[in-house]
Amino acid sequence: MAEQQRNLGGKVALITGASSGIGASTAVLFSQLGAALALTGRNEENLTKVSEECINVSKTKPLLIVGDVTNDEDVKKIVEETIKHYGRIDILINCAGILESGTIETTSLEQFDRMFNTNVRSIYHLTMLCTPYLVASKGNIVNVSSVNGIRSFPGVLAYNMTKSSVDQFTRCVALELAPKQVRCNSVNPGVVITEVHKRSGMNEEAYAAFLERSKTTHALGRPGQPEEVARTIAFLASDDASFITGANLPVDGGRHAMCPRITWPTASDSMAAAVKNLTGKVALITGASSGIGAATAVLFSKLGATLALTGRKEDNLNKVGEECSKNTSEQPLLIVGDLSNSKDIERIVDSTIKHFGKLNILVNNAGILEMGSIENTSMEQFDRMFNVNVRSMYQMTMLCTPHLISTQGNIVNISSVNGIRSFPGVLAYNMTKASVDQFTRCVALELAPKQVRCNAVNPGVIVTELQKRGGLDESAYAAFLERCKTTHALGRPGQVDEVSRAIAFLASDDASFITGASLPVDGGRHAMCPR
């Protein structure tokens, strides 16, 4: 259906980041198509100019709400004022976002936090608050993501991670709200001519060169215009897209299709743990006091590795240390710490280097799971999971990177099948694991020239305490494991030893030509998700 025929009359649309770029173009187009608008942005002067453009095309004045989406009170105010003014919300466009350049070696935690707070946390918070109104109106959501969520590009690590998280958020919310007839999709622009890159630090000359290079990095031979993205957003927000939900739609001139595809080799039966050798390697393993981390520690000790083990529970960590000591003459270094505490992370790395003088292998295993959907996962739960599952991994890897470069070592991140596929009821957890997968690919690209490898394992359901800590009682957990016989192609859940063997393979020289891989260790569960 042509744009001129599309009609958003009678719909109330809330658009964030509406003071410039894609958000501004979307506001003007929506106004032209008859929508009543609530527009929000930080720049009041620019927001007023966008409002005037909207009035020119529709004679209807939008509601303007100046606010910062990284401020929780401002987010609440945006929703409350929209409802007070219009009494409803039919369409939510999450467009606000920022970009900062940097790699695992140069992106500070302050930059990381800024991008995640703006690009991910604010979207979650705003969507959570808007969901009851969207359910009431059977409305829809369009998130503005990026081709950087679909493909991995060096030099913008944290940004890539945020956008991958937004894509997983989109798919999960789509699954959760579909029974209530609320749709959720994203657009994934390539390079679009806006101010985002210049705000990230590019001067005029560098930006001109960047746009020129876009002629070769985009299949259509040019960068895009904000209006082209706005038209796609309007389509997804309209009834023309009534049977589309959970889609990540590239609006990128074919850039996503130009990224090389690589099929990574996987471990074979001939590469049994017995033939791997980690002698002389120093390995730091997080979350080593139980589950997969504990099993990995014991296996690594059998394979000759020297170990630094960290976890929150000292008693459990001591038991794992004793088990490892049975296999090696060198006692593991045990470091009790909480990875949600930045100072503890610094202490863990400092202690490891002070004790051993080097680091060859980093296994980022620590993680938590809490259940909930967009309707019932609190911001406190969201923050806990992102702090433990994503931010701590980022900081740990950042601090370890110089030492891994010195040894030409490697990193193995413990992700989940929930990063590859979307499952209802564990929204924030899914988002964290998608972010871990993108982190893995990006760090692999960044550190490959320095001969440091980075991979992930993506377990399915493994028999550990994770789900019980996430809220399942014994009866519910038993039923959950029974159901795994039908949700996993191999007809059973996995064991921690099966995951630890995959980790050992990726950490060993047997995997010397594997980097950037996400290896499912899930009994085929990822292959059983409907296509």
Side-chain angles (χ1 to χ4, degrees):
M1 183 178 288
E3 176 191 319
Q4 290 80 0
Q5 296 173 285
R6 193 161 292 122
N7 188 348
L8 299 179
K11 305 290 188 183
V12 174
L14 170 56
I15 304 175
T16 70
S19 57
S20 64
I22 292 169
S25 291
T26 302
V28 174
L29 178 57
F30 272 40
S31 186
Q32 186 178 349
L33 298 175
L37 301 178
L39 306 180
T40 184
R42 290 180 298 175
N43 189 315
E44 185 173 7
E45 184 179 351
N46 284 1
L47 203 59
T48 301
K49 290 178 182 176
V50 173
S51 175
E52 291 169 356
E53 288 188 60
C54 292
I55 293 170
N56 288 338
V57 298
S58 70
K59 310 303 180 188
T60 302
K61 185 178 180 179
L63 170 67
L64 304 184
I65 311 166
V66 178
D68 180 352
V69 292
T70 65
N71 183 313
D72 285 358
E73 293 305 315
D74 279 7
V75 173
K76 293 175 185 175
K77 178 186 73 171
I78 289 164
V79 178
E80 287 169 359
E81 291 193 13
T82 301
I83 295 302
K84 182 179 179 181
H85 189 83
Y86 291 114
R88 59 184 290 153
I89 298 174
D90 299 278
I91 301 167
L92 171 62
I93 310 296
N94 284 309
C95 187
I98 61 171
L99 165 69
E100 296 189 36
S101 301
T103 69
I104 187 61
E105 297 179 85
T106 62
T107 305
S108 69
L109 277 174
E110 291 74 22
Q111 289 176 294
F112 178 96
D113 288 339
R114 273 197 299 273
M115 279 185 276
F116 265 90
N117 284 338
T118 304
N119 297 359
V120 183
R121 189 181 189 276
S122 72
I123 286 181
Y124 181 92
H125 192 193
L126 188 61
T127 305
M128 179 180 70
L129 295 178
C130 287
T131 291
Y133 306 107
L134 293 166
V135 169
S137 65
K138 295 185 178 179
N140 72 84
I141 305 157
V142 182
N143 299 318
V144 180
S145 182
S146 170
V147 67
N148 294 58
I150 302 172
R151 298 289 178 261
S152 307
F153 300 97
V156 282
L157 168 60
Y159 181 76
N160 292 344
M161 294 170 67
T162 65
K163 293 306 184 179
S164 191
S165 189
V166 168
D167 288 346
Q168 181 69 306
F169 174 74
T170 299
R171 294 186 292 264
C172 293
V173 170
L175 288 181
E176 291 178 359
L177 298 185
K180 300 179 180 182
Q181 301 303 302
V182 175
R183 298 184 298 107
C184 183
N185 296 288
S186 75
V187 292
N188 294 66
V191 174
V192 176
I193 299 175
T194 67
E195 296 295 306
V196 69
H197 294 94
K198 286 190 276 188
R199 287 179 187 145
S200 74
M202 282 190 184
N203 60 30
E204 291 290 345
E205 183 180 0
Y207 186 56
F210 177 69
L211 293 182
E212 183 64 26
R213 184 168 176 269
S214 295
K215 295 177 181 179
T216 61
T217 59
H218 292 62
L220 290 180
R222 62 175 178 85
Q225 298 292 332
E227 294 78 13
E228 295 175 298
V229 183
R231 289 196 291 269
T232 309
I233 294 170
F235 164 69
L236 290 173
S238 75
D239 291 340
D240 290 342
S242 59
F243 202 54
I244 301 176
T245 197
N248 304 129
L249 182 53
V251 190
D252 67 348
R255 189 174 195 189
H256 72 284
M258 293 183 71
C259 295
R261 269 67 165 174
I262 301 174
T263 302
W264 299 101
T266 56
S268 66
D269 291 339
S270 64
M271 294 178 178
V275 302
K276 297 189 184 74
N277 191 342
L278 298 180
T279 301
K281 307 288 188 183
V282 174
L284 170 56
I285 304 173
T286 71
S289 58
S290 64
I292 292 170
T296 302
V298 173
L299 177 58
F300 273 38
S301 70
K302 292 178 180 178
L303 298 176
T306 303
L307 300 177
L309 307 179
T310 184
R312 289 182 299 175
K313 295 187 176 181
E314 187 171 7
D315 287 348
N316 286 3
L317 200 60
N318 287 334
K319 290 177 184 177
V320 174
E322 291 170 6
E323 190 70 23
C324 292
S325 297
K326 297 175 183 177
N327 305 312
T328 177
S329 59
E330 187 157 7
Q331 296 295 311
L333 173 65
L334 306 182
I335 312 166
V336 178
D338 180 353
L339 295 192
S340 65
N341 183 320
S342 291
K343 293 297 181 184
D344 277 10
I345 294 175
E346 293 172 4
R347 179 172 57 84
I348 289 163
V349 178
D350 290 344
S351 299
T352 301
I353 297 304
K354 182 179 179 180
H355 190 84
F356 296 115
K358 68 173 185 176
L359 181 65
N360 302 90
I361 301 165
L362 171 62
V363 180
N364 283 311
N365 172 69
I368 61 172
L369 178 149
E370 296 189 35
M371 298 180 184
S373 70
I374 189 62
E375 297 181 87
N376 55 36
T377 303
S378 70
M379 294 309 299
E380 290 75 20
Q381 289 176 294
F382 178 95
D383 288 340
R384 272 197 299 273
M385 278 185 275
F386 266 89
N387 284 338
V388 175
N389 296 0
V390 183
R391 190 181 191 273
S392 72
M393 186 180 292
Y394 180 91
Q395 185 185 7
M396 178 69 75
T397 306
M398 178 179 69
L399 296 177
C400 288
T401 290
H403 308 293
L404 293 167
I405 290 172
S406 296
T407 60
Q408 295 189 345
N410 73 84
I411 304 158
V412 182
N413 299 320
I414 313 309
S415 182
S416 170
V417 68
N418 295 58
I420 302 172
R421 297 291 179 260
S422 306
F423 300 98
V426 281
L427 169 60
Y429 181 77
N430 292 346
M431 295 170 67
T432 65
K433 293 305 183 179
S435 192
V436 167
D437 288 344
Q438 182 70 306
F439 174 72
T440 299
R441 293 186 291 266
C442 293
V443 171
L445 289 181
E446 291 177 359
L447 298 186
K450 300 179 181 182
Q451 300 304 301
V452 174
R453 297 183 298 107
C454 183
N455 295 288
V457 294
N458 294 67
V461 173
I462 307 298
V463 181
T464 68
E465 296 297 303
L466 181 69
Q467 281 82 15
K468 286 191 274 188
R469 289 179 187 146
L472 292 185
D473 61 24
E474 290 292 344
S475 175
Y477 186 59
F480 176 70
L481 292 183
E482 184 64 26
R483 186 168 176 269
C484 289
K485 295 177 182 179
T486 60
T487 59
H488 292 60
L490 290 180
R492 62 176 177 84
Q495 300 296 324
V496 290
D497 296 338
E498 295 175 298
V499 183
S500 68
R501 290 196 292 269
I503 294 168
F505 165 70
L506 290 173
S508 76
D509 291 340
D510 289 341
S512 59
F513 202 55
I514 302 178
T515 196
S518 297
L519 177 59
V521 187
D522 66 348
R525 188 174 194 187
H526 72 284
M528 293 184 70
C529 294
R531 304 300 199 263

